[in-house]
Amino acid sequence: VNSSSHSFQRAEKTLTSSMAQLRRRLRPCSVVFAAITLHSAVLVGRELCFVLGAPSQSMNVVAMRIPVMPNRIACAAKKKGGKDKGGGGGDGGDGGGGGGGSAGDDVDSEAMLNDWEVKMQKQVEKLQDDLVKIRAGKATAALLDSIKVTAYDTEKRIPELATVSATDSTTLSLTTWDETVTSKVAKAIMGADLGYTVQETGPTTIKVIIPQLTSEKRAAYVKLAKETSENAKVAVRNVRQAAMKKIKGMKKDISEDFVKSMEKDLEARVKKVVAEIDTIFKKKEKELSSNQ
């Protein structure tokens, strides 16, 4: 394939983007991928076969096959009438050649959708952290996971500073790695205002007593967990709203079919995240409602 051809350039761009994703997902191999260079390419049917090489002879040559028109570059699919910016060719020998390619060729829809999904997943992670703070009455090491302690000129979580174990259903025992942080850990637990009783029992040991919950307190905690989950859903829908606005704003540049495809994909991802939030809440509700 001529390296100056439009198909080659577009496929090469796709390869570059794909390799960028590989670097992010396979960080230990990032140096290897950075060293790989495009050697040549051969068109086979609807696929472009790239032969990749590296300066070092110790590295094997790698062959990679990718579609010439992958989904993420498929913006060239135009609705009736098209949105092609290029001009038509003339009749006969005197006719001029066509103009540029589709206006949607530069739209990396997969990267955009992935970015929005990452923002939605951050709300799931935040929800999980928030729900850990809503205790169920039974002593577990996870109750202290989200508490942050200022130590060594930075903020650290308790599992980074001490071992935590449950000695019985209402008591946690902590052993710090360094006696200089024991008081700081104890103060952080008390400062979290979780209703725990904290006692320093030695230079590196702390006892945390978790009081039993009344039925009224359990009901209040279920309500709080529900509100926290709903707030997470609102945050996810805010991401969706901003994403939809962005997609609709691209209608003048890409085909209507492609816009609809992006909207459908976005809705599927939103539905998946919302379902994940519902699952997390139901698990917490069951935990809070149990007397065990």
Side-chain angles (χ1 to χ4, degrees):
V1 178
N2 191 328
S3 62
S4 63
S5 70
H6 184 61
S7 295
F8 180 92
Q9 292 172 354
R10 279 168 48 189
E12 183 180 16
K13 178 180 177 182
T14 302
L15 174 63
T16 302
S17 178
S18 298
M19 289 176 67
Q21 289 189 39
L22 285 172
R23 290 192 189 98
R24 288 195 297 271
R25 297 181 183 181
L26 305 175
R27 294 185 185 279
C29 302
S30 59
V31 175
V32 175
F33 281 111
I36 292 176
T37 57
L38 180 62
H39 186 272
S40 62
V42 179
L43 188 64
V44 180
R46 293 178 61 88
E47 293 184 325
L48 197 61
C49 293
F50 284 93
V51 178
L52 309 177
S56 172
Q57 293 182 352
S58 63
M59 295 178 62
N60 295 326
V61 173
V62 181
M64 180 181 290
R65 293 161 64 101
I66 64 172
V68 175
M69 291 289 289
N71 181 56
R72 58 192 294 176
I73 304 297
C75 307
K78 312 170 192 67
K79 67 178 182 178
K80 190 173 182 179
K83 285 184 179 281
D84 195 338
K85 289 185 178 179
D91 294 329
D94 295 334
S102 170
D105 282 347
D106 293 331
V107 177
D108 194 339
S109 62
E110 190 69 19
M112 294 172 69
L113 290 163
N114 287 342
D115 181 57
W116 292 324
E117 185 171 7
V118 167
K119 291 179 180 178
M120 290 187 285
Q121 283 295 336
K122 285 182 179 178
Q123 299 305 320
V124 175
E125 294 171 7
K126 183 178 183 300
L127 172 64
Q128 291 173 322
D129 286 342
D130 290 342
L131 292 184
V132 165
K133 301 173 186 177
I134 304 176
R135 64 188 182 87
K138 183 178 179 180
T140 62
L143 291 174
L144 306 181
D145 281 354
S146 63
I147 299 176
K148 294 182 180 179
V149 183
T150 301
Y152 309 119
D153 298 322
T154 187
E155 281 193 340
K156 293 184 176 293
R157 296 196 174 193
I158 288 179
E160 297 178 274
L161 301 171
T163 58
V164 184
S165 59
T167 55
D168 55 49
S169 62
T170 62
T171 308
L172 293 175
S173 177
L174 286 76
T175 303
T176 59
W177 309 115
D178 179 358
E179 65 181 48
T180 63
V181 302
T182 303
S183 294
K184 295 178 180 179
V185 171
K187 289 179 181 179
I189 297 172
M190 289 186 285
D193 196 25
L194 296 171
Y196 304 159
T197 300
V198 183
Q199 302 172 357
E200 289 186 49
T201 55
T204 61
T205 57
I206 301 171
K207 179 190 288 186
V208 180
I209 300 174
I210 314 295
Q212 291 288 349
L213 295 178
T214 63
S215 58
E216 292 80 7
K217 197 67 174 178
R218 288 180 186 277
Y221 280 162
V222 169
K223 182 178 179 181
L224 178 59
K226 179 68 173 177
E227 291 174 354
T228 305
S229 300
E230 289 301 321
N231 289 338
K233 289 183 183 180
V234 170
V236 167
R237 292 184 183 116
N238 287 340
V239 174
R240 173 195 174 280
Q241 184 177 6
M244 281 295 190
K245 184 177 180 180
K246 176 71 175 178
I247 294 172
K248 291 183 185 299
M250 296 190 297
K251 281 187 176 181
K252 60 183 179 181
D253 298 320
I254 60 178
S255 72
E256 184 175 343
D257 287 345
F258 196 74
V259 167
K260 289 181 178 179
S261 176
M262 286 188 68
E263 290 176 340
K264 183 178 179 181
D265 197 342
L266 175 64
E267 290 291 3
R269 297 181 190 221
V270 171
K271 185 177 180 180
K272 174 186 172 184
V273 174
V274 170
E276 190 174 350
I277 290 174
D278 285 336
T279 300
I280 292 171
F281 165 69
K282 289 176 182 177
K283 181 180 179 180
K284 188 66 178 182
E285 181 181 31
K286 182 178 180 180
E287 176 188 335
L288 291 169
S289 300
S290 173
N291 291 320
Q292 300 300 322

